[in-house]
Amino acid sequence: MDWVTTDRISGYAGKTVELRGWVANKRSSGKIRFLLLRDGPGVIQCVILPDRVSADAFELADKVPYESAVIVRGEVREDKRSPGGFEITVSDLKLVSEAEDYPIAKKDHGVGFLMDHRHLWLRSSRQVALLRLRSALTRAARQFFDEKGFIAIEAPILTPTSCEGTTSLFQVEYFDRHAYLTQSGQLYGEAAAMALGKIYVHGPTFRAEKSKTRRHLTEFWMIEPEMAFWELPETIDLAEGLICRLVEETLRSCSQELEALERDRAALEKVTPPFPRITYSEVVDLLEDKGVPFVWGNDLGADEETVISQAFDKPVFVTHYPAVIKAFYMKRDRNDPRLALAMDLLAPEGYGEIIGGGQREDSLDELEARIAEHGLDRDPLEWYLDLRRYGSAPHAGFGLGIERTLAWIAGIHHVRETIPFPRLMDRLHP
Ligand code: 4AD
Ligand code: MG
């Protein structure tokens, strides 16, 4: 007998199959027992009739605790009313492993409790939908770059330097020295772009940020493209194309997940090119118009980003930030050296920044000056300066934060549900 999973069940109508999974729910009606079997790809209702199974199997259906692992055999029947459109008329039910009292009940639990039980919480339909969506998003992002001829490269996790400021570094012992967990693969991506032209790094990144907000994780994943001989405008076009692709792909292939998450599709359908592009200085004017007190030269915080992203129903690019609030590697604007050729993409509906990037400083002298101004240790960056000594070329790139992008596309409040095992300032368990 074939072991079939629920995603393949439609090909087996009228046939007898075996399913393997967990008891997600059960109920009875007179002499009939119903088990909702969860097998990973989906759920299916199993109907147990006393005259179709052994007495032992019928008793098991009555008593089996939630989340026990079971093997079900039975006939596949098309039934428009059941979840997934098919049902199983059970001929045999076997216990693989009886579950103890399952701690996650159907009733509402607090977030702290659910986070403590994250290893079990993952089984709930909402979390399954989020993880499936996450997988679809990273696949679509990688495909987007692969199709355009980008080469995937890996950047190290253990690094000798900071990339995004020294205040958010995780320091680890590295034999008789210190190393830091990477904040971004960018600097290594730049080296690889000089070797391969167009590359992307997809990997985990770490920030010891003391921020307890709905947008901050201490461990998160980025996709970071880097392109030799590209400048800021075409880099913005690339980011716009990527976001449109991710949203299109979600709408096309993740309808079930969006439904499970009760996501408003109309909001996503508005995400079409072109996205508005405004400069930091225009943002300052916009904030003033909205009556939000803000001084030119300050960094945009979550509150300001929320106001800006609520002013548009599409993602919006903000460019040309004051150089002093951006990282050391940003190229200055030739027309106004106070400004960096930086770009951030703010997601709509109040989600805020999901992409950060821009054009890189390609002059050795300028870069040396920036490293000194930022008070960075130059020795561990000598290799990076070599990229400007040996055939320096204009180049640009950006980093897309997977978790923030998923939070927006899924329409969920907090990034902690966008990654299987979130790491937050106050959470390292499980
Ligand atoms: O804007 P950031 O700091 O840019 C960089 O790291 C560049 N080196 C990327 C590059 O140009 N290759 O971070 C990029 C993105 C942010 O826009 C955000 O989506 C995400 O990474 N991000 C975080 N996501 C979750 N938790 C955090 N603490 C995050 N910090 C940044
Ligand atoms: Mg940023």
Side-chain angles (χ1 to χ4, degrees), residues 147-196:
E147 283 166 13
K148 289 184 185 305
F150 283 65
I151 303 301
I153 72 133
E154 286 74 35
I157 308 295
L158 293 165
T159 63
T161 50
S162 79
C163 178
E164 297 298 324
T166 49
T167 53
S168 66
L169 284 171
F170 277 115
Q171 184 172 304
V172 293
E173 276 170 40
Y174 194 76
F175 305 104
D176 55 351
R177 297 175 274 168
H178 292 305
Y180 307 104
L181 298 182
T182 185
Q183 296 167 307
S184 157
Q186 178 196 321
L187 306 187
Y188 299 95
E190 289 181 52
M194 300 301 140
L196 296 152

Side-chain angles (χ1 to χ4, degrees), residues 164 207 326 344 353 355-357 404:
E164 297 298 324
R207 308 239 175 128
K326 287 291 180 186
D344 279 0
E353 183 195 333
I355 284 181
R404 288 191 191 173

Side-chain angles (χ1 to χ4, degrees), residues 163-164 183-184 186 207 209 215-218 220 222 224-226 329 344 353-358 360 397-401 403-404:
C163 178
E164 297 298 324
Q183 296 167 307
S184 157
Q186 178 196 321
R207 308 239 175 128
E209 266 164 332
R215 299 171 186 182
H216 285 92
L217 294 161
T218 54
F220 58 99
M222 272 204 262
E224 299 181 87
E226 192 72 32
Y329 53 71
D344 279 0
E353 183 195 333
I354 55 171
I355 284 181
R360 321 307 188 187
F398 61 82
L400 167 96
E403 292 77 14
R404 288 191 191 173

Side-chain angles (χ1 to χ4, degrees), residues 160-164 184-194 226 327-331 358-364 366-368 370-371 376-393 395-397:
T161 50
S162 79
C163 178
E164 297 298 324
S184 157
Q186 178 196 321
L187 306 187
Y188 299 95
E190 289 181 52
M194 300 301 140
E226 192 72 32
F328 76 97
Y329 53 71
M330 296 256 183
K331 189 172 176 66
Q359 194 170 332
R360 321 307 188 187
E361 183 51 72
D362 49 10
S363 140
L364 178 62
E366 293 282 328
L367 191 57
E368 284 174 327
R370 290 297 111 70
I371 289 171
L376 296 173
D377 196 1
R378 193 182 143 136
D379 276 354
L381 284 169
E382 278 302 330
W383 69 270
Y384 183 65
L385 290 167
D386 270 356
L387 305 177
R388 278 71 182 168
R389 291 191 183 102
Y390 304 105
S392 187
H395 61 290

